[in-house]
Amino acid sequence: MAKKQLIMEKALELFAAQGFESTSVQQITEHCGISKGAFYLAFKSKDELVVALIDHFMMQFISDIDHSVKNVTNNQQLLYNFYYATFNSFYKHSDFAKVLMKEQSQTINNHELILKMRYYDQLLDKIILAMIKQLYDNTVEQIQYDLLYCIKGLIRIYSELFIFSNVQLDLDLLSKSLEDKTKILASNMTVPFITSELIQLSQLPINEEELSPQHIVKFIDQKIEELGDSVEKESLLLIKDHILEPRLPQAIVIGLLGNIQHHPHLKWVSYLLRNYLLN
Amino acid sequence: MAKKQLIMEKALELFAAQGFESTSVQQITEHCGISKGAFYLAFKSKDELVVALIDHFMMQFISDIDHSVKNVTNNQQLLYNFYYATFNSFYKHSDFAKVLMKEQSQTINNHELILKMRYYDQLLDKIILAMIKQLYDNTVEQIQYDLLYCIKGLIRIYSELFIFSNVQLDLDLLSKSLEDKTKILASNMTVPFITSELIQLSQLPINEEELSPQHIVKFIDQKIEELGDSVEKESLLLIKDHILEPRLPQAIVIGLLGNIQHHPHLKWVSYLLRNYLLN
DNA sequence: TTGACATTTGACCCATTAGTCATTAGTATA
DNA sequence: TATACTAATGACTAATGGGTCAAATGTCAA
């Protein structure tokens, strides 16, 4: 519908200049030259508009990049094309890029939106990882996640250059420059930091259900069965009691968590517990 | 004043969880257990609280990092120390780090705050550039700004790993890993992108006023009032006299600076003084 | 022209916000 | 105890927010 289009366009301009929260529906409707009621005919709420915007542009963005990467037979051009497509897309939709940078993932309180952003972020991760794999196959298995983060870091920081100042950049040189940096890192990096386990820990959804005490206790019971007698097992037992009937001082809880956090099989459980007990 | 301290602490917790705009003064006062009026006795407005928070933590952050870089004679450890200090500071003040990441510079409409953030950002740039210069002198003149951006990009993206998930990271390994990446980039990069002109275009000149003797003396007076009788206070008084009418030999000045640089409330003042007196 | 229907409006509602100020509670001195 | 002073309160205001809905306007076939 044309009305939706109009609202999305005009709202994006305002969001880019002021941010979500500081932009009122009133302002949007004035900027569109329509009434408040008309806005609520097109979108059920302000949040729905935001979701629509994110969806619309992220889909476009992701598919742009995916296209640039998938349709390259010559590996020599892969990285260059990837960077070029990325920054070109930022240019084409610079207002959206601005919003994206400003509302750095979670300014918004809307849980749905956070999940959505995380979803798109993981899609992008997949694309980049596939590209890394295609370029270096398994010679970089141990450094692939570090490479992923380096690439994302480069994009993030070089984006700021032209998103927050209105300087016109030489996209060709920029892409070549980042290609250069990436290749150098790929073939010389010797101290990787990010393991696949770390990735899993940081990406796993923090949905409410998973953080319910019932779920956590069940999970702890499972781990207790797996463990032999040890400090870890004893700590887990104490923590479990504390969850069912809180009575330990914070300092002791922290200490107990410290006892288990380095055990290779307890990383997930200690992640859950930290979230549940310390927030 | 203790009340200010309390409000700042409690407000930071809420800001970290919800963001500025979504946190009301009401919520803050409830979380502090004080009345609304008491809040407005401590701060003239919500904005003033935000400014105070930013100032307080950025000063601490910048001086932490500056300290870690300036007090290293062995170049081998420079990068490692820099990264370690950076991430360690994020850890120590993780709520503030969260706010900083969330309100990615300009969610806020307040013009003063944007300028302030830019100011601190540029201070950090200066520190990093000085470090690069010390490490590689002029062999990297053409790539120094790219190196600066790579370092900032790495910090930005690796920060997200632990700021937005509650994973406990191995700071030592992380620092080594980023040191590795940085050194590799420094000695292999061949296609620089960022020229000094580009830097100038993208950032406004730094605020020189803050480095004027008047400003520094005013700042010292403030600190002197806060301090009880102590070596630090006496040192500050002597330094103040020296600024107004220089007559102490360099060695004494350095000694006096040494007296104050470890006091937790004097980090910023000693950073300013080091810049003013020793450069 | 009429009437049935779809689209659009903006005054209105209620919740929430930042910020104020007359009043009260607390404390130290005479 | 009386007095003088500061620190703290919370009911209050004025403004703004998102969202609603009865009424007005527009459309078109008969």
Side-chain angles (χ1 to χ4, degrees):
Chain A
M1 189 199 286
K3 191 55 69 61
K4 269 196 175 184
Q5 212 76 34
L6 172 73
I7 294 174
M8 283 170 72
E9 257 172 52
K10 296 292 186 180
L12 188 61
E13 291 173 16
L14 294 174
F15 286 158
Q18 313 171 336
F20 294 146
E21 313 243 7
S22 320
T23 304
S24 67
V25 175
Q26 193 86 28
Q27 271 181 288
I28 296 172
T29 57
E30 275 166 19
H31 198 224
C32 292
I34 62 170
S35 71
K36 216 167 175 192
F39 176 92
Y40 283 95
L41 283 177
F43 296 97
K44 275 211 286 290
S45 67
K46 193 183 168 187
D47 271 356
E48 202 189 82
L49 163 64
V50 173
V51 169
L53 273 174
I54 300 261
D55 270 336
H56 180 254
F57 283 100
M58 282 309 287
M59 283 172 179
Q60 194 146 335
F61 179 63
I62 295 270
S63 48
D64 269 6
I65 291 177
D66 190 56
H67 198 260
S68 81
V69 166
K70 292 277 165 64
N71 283 27
V72 170
T73 45
N74 182 358
N75 276 356
Q76 290 302 320
Q77 300 176 341
L78 198 50
L79 272 172
Y80 174 88
N81 283 20
F82 165 77
Y83 281 121
Y84 196 94
T86 302
F87 287 101
N88 199 40
S89 207
F90 282 167
Y91 253 127
K92 276 197 307 197
H93 315 292
S94 65
D95 269 346
F96 181 72
K98 252 177 226 174
V99 172
L100 214 58
M101 301 289 281
K102 280 192 186 187
E103 322 291 318
Q104 192 42 3
S105 55
Q106 33 247 78
T107 313
I108 322 113
N109 275 341
N110 188 322
H111 190 67
E112 186 196 352
L113 255 198
I114 294 179
L115 289 183
K116 214 174 247 307
M117 286 310 302
R118 202 185 288 223
Y119 168 71
Y120 285 121
D121 200 54
Q122 286 177 26
L123 278 188
L124 192 59
D125 283 3
K126 269 191 188 170
I127 293 175
I128 297 177
L129 281 173
M131 182 174 71
I132 291 173
K133 194 157 200 172
Q134 183 175 334
L135 278 174
Y136 305 102
D137 200 22
N138 37 27
T139 64
V140 290
E141 186 118 7
Q142 325 87 292
I143 65 162
Q144 62 176 327
Y145 296 115
D146 276 84
L147 215 44
L148 167 66
Y149 268 67
C150 288
I151 290 171
K152 287 171 75 176
L154 288 172
I155 291 173
R156 176 78 54 88
I157 207 75
Y158 277 82
S159 298
E160 281 189 10
L161 252 187
F162 70 90
I163 285 180
F164 290 130
S165 62
N166 280 6
V167 189
Q168 179 76 23
L169 296 190
D170 178 348
L171 284 200
D172 175 60
L173 182 58
L174 175 56
S175 306
K176 278 181 186 146
S177 180
L178 295 187
E179 181 194 7
D180 174 51
K181 294 173 182 44
T182 310
K183 283 182 174 167
I184 287 166
L185 283 169
S187 47
N188 293 286
M189 195 190 302
T190 57
V191 191
F193 176 71
I194 307 176
T195 60
S196 66
E197 190 169 21
L198 196 55
I199 286 280
Q200 275 164 31
L201 282 181
S202 70
Q203 284 191 346
L204 277 162
I206 313 176
N207 62 46
E208 315 285 320
E209 182 219 329
E210 204 140 276
L211 281 178
S212 73
Q214 292 81 9
H215 176 272
I216 291 178
V217 166
K218 233 172 82 185
F219 207 90
I220 292 178
D221 281 336
Q222 210 173 303
K223 287 294 165 191
I224 288 173
E225 292 219 354
E226 291 174 26
L227 286 172
D229 284 342
S230 60
V231 177
E232 283 87 357
K233 184 169 182 174
E234 209 181 332
S235 302
L236 268 183
L237 282 165
L238 286 169
I239 290 173
K240 181 186 151 190
D241 289 344
H242 175 70
I243 290 175
L244 294 172
E245 196 176 325
R247 58 189 148 190
L248 299 176
Q250 183 86 330
I252 289 182
V253 173
I254 291 173
L256 291 173
L257 285 177
N259 291 343
I260 63 167
Q261 75 185 356
H262 291 301
H263 191 289
H265 292 168
L266 298 178
K267 284 198 174 173
W268 175 241
V269 102
S270 72
Y271 168 77
L272 280 185
L273 287 171
R274 223 191 318 280
N275 266 288
Y276 180 72
L277 294 170
L278 303 186
N279 282 345
Chain B
M1 190 202 285
K3 192 54 69 62
K4 270 196 174 183
Q5 212 77 31
L6 172 73
I7 294 174
M8 283 169 71
E9 256 171 53
K10 296 293 186 180
L12 188 61
E13 290 172 18
L14 294 174
F15 287 157
Q18 313 172 338
F20 294 145
E21 314 243 6
S22 321
T23 304
S24 68
V25 174
Q26 194 87 26
Q27 271 181 290
I28 296 172
T29 58
E30 274 165 21
H31 198 224
C32 291
I34 62 171
S35 71
K36 215 160 176 204
F39 176 92
Y40 283 95
L41 284 177
F43 296 97
K44 276 211 287 287
S45 68
K46 192 183 167 186
D47 272 356
E48 202 189 83
L49 162 65
V50 174
V51 169
L53 272 174
I54 300 262
D55 269 337
H56 179 253
F57 283 100
M58 282 310 287
M59 284 174 179
Q60 196 144 333
F61 179 64
I62 295 269
S63 45
D64 268 6
I65 292 177
D66 187 60
H67 199 259
S68 82
V69 166
K70 291 275 165 67
N71 282 29
V72 170
T73 46
N74 182 357
N75 277 356
Q76 290 301 320
Q77 301 177 340
L78 198 49
L79 273 172
Y80 175 87
N81 282 21
F82 165 76
Y83 281 120
Y84 196 94
T86 302
F87 286 101
N88 200 41
S89 208
F90 282 166
Y91 253 125
K92 275 196 307 196
H93 315 293
S94 65
D95 271 344
F96 180 71
K98 251 177 228 175
V99 172
L100 214 56
M101 300 289 280
K102 280 191 188 190
E103 323 291 319
Q104 192 44 3
S105 55
Q106 32 249 75
T107 313
I108 322 115
N109 275 341
N110 188 324
H111 189 67
E112 187 196 352
L113 258 196
I114 294 178
L115 289 183
K116 216 174 245 309
M117 287 310 302
R118 198 185 290 225
Y119 168 71
Y120 286 120
D121 199 54
Q122 286 176 29
L123 280 186
L124 192 59
D125 284 2
K126 270 192 182 173
I127 292 175
I128 297 176
L129 282 172
M131 182 175 72
I132 292 174
K133 194 157 201 172
Q134 184 176 332
L135 277 174
Y136 305 102
D137 200 23
N138 38 27
T139 65
V140 290
E141 186 117 8
Q142 326 86 293
I143 64 161
Q144 62 175 326
Y145 295 115
D146 276 84
L147 215 44
L148 166 66
Y149 267 66
C150 288
I151 290 171
K152 286 172 74 175
L154 288 172
I155 291 173
R156 176 81 51 86
I157 207 77
Y158 277 81
S159 298
E160 282 188 11
L161 252 187
F162 70 90
I163 286 181
F164 291 130
S165 61
N166 280 8
V167 188
Q168 179 78 22
L169 296 190
D170 179 346
L171 284 201
D172 176 60
L173 182 59
L174 175 56
S175 307
K176 277 181 186 145
S177 180
L178 295 187
E179 180 194 10
D180 175 52
K181 294 174 182 44
T182 310
K183 282 182 175 167
I184 287 167
L185 283 169
S187 46
N188 293 287
M189 195 190 302
T190 58
V191 191
F193 175 72
I194 307 176
T195 59
S196 65
E197 299 87 67
L198 196 56
I199 287 282
Q200 276 164 29
L201 279 181
S202 72
Q203 66 188 27
L204 293 169
I206 196 161
N207 181 0
E208 294 294 331
E209 182 218 325
E210 198 139 288
L211 284 177
S212 71
Q214 291 82 11
H215 177 273
I216 292 177
V217 167
K218 234 171 82 187
F219 206 91
I220 293 178
D221 281 335
Q222 212 172 301
K223 288 293 166 190
I224 288 173
E225 291 218 354
E226 292 174 27
L227 287 173
D229 284 341
S230 61
V231 178
E232 283 88 354
K233 184 171 183 174
E234 208 182 332
S235 302
L236 268 184
L237 281 166
L238 287 168
I239 291 173
K240 181 185 151 190
D241 288 344
H242 176 70
I243 290 175
L244 295 172
E245 199 176 323
R247 57 189 148 190
L248 300 175
Q250 184 83 331
I252 290 182
V253 172
I254 292 174
L256 291 172
L257 286 177
N259 291 342
I260 62 166
Q261 75 185 354
H262 293 302
H263 190 289
H265 292 167
L266 299 178
K267 284 191 176 177
W268 180 249
V269 104
S270 70
Y271 168 78
L272 281 183
L273 288 170
R274 223 192 328 276
N275 265 287
Y276 181 72
L277 295 169
L278 303 186
N279 283 346

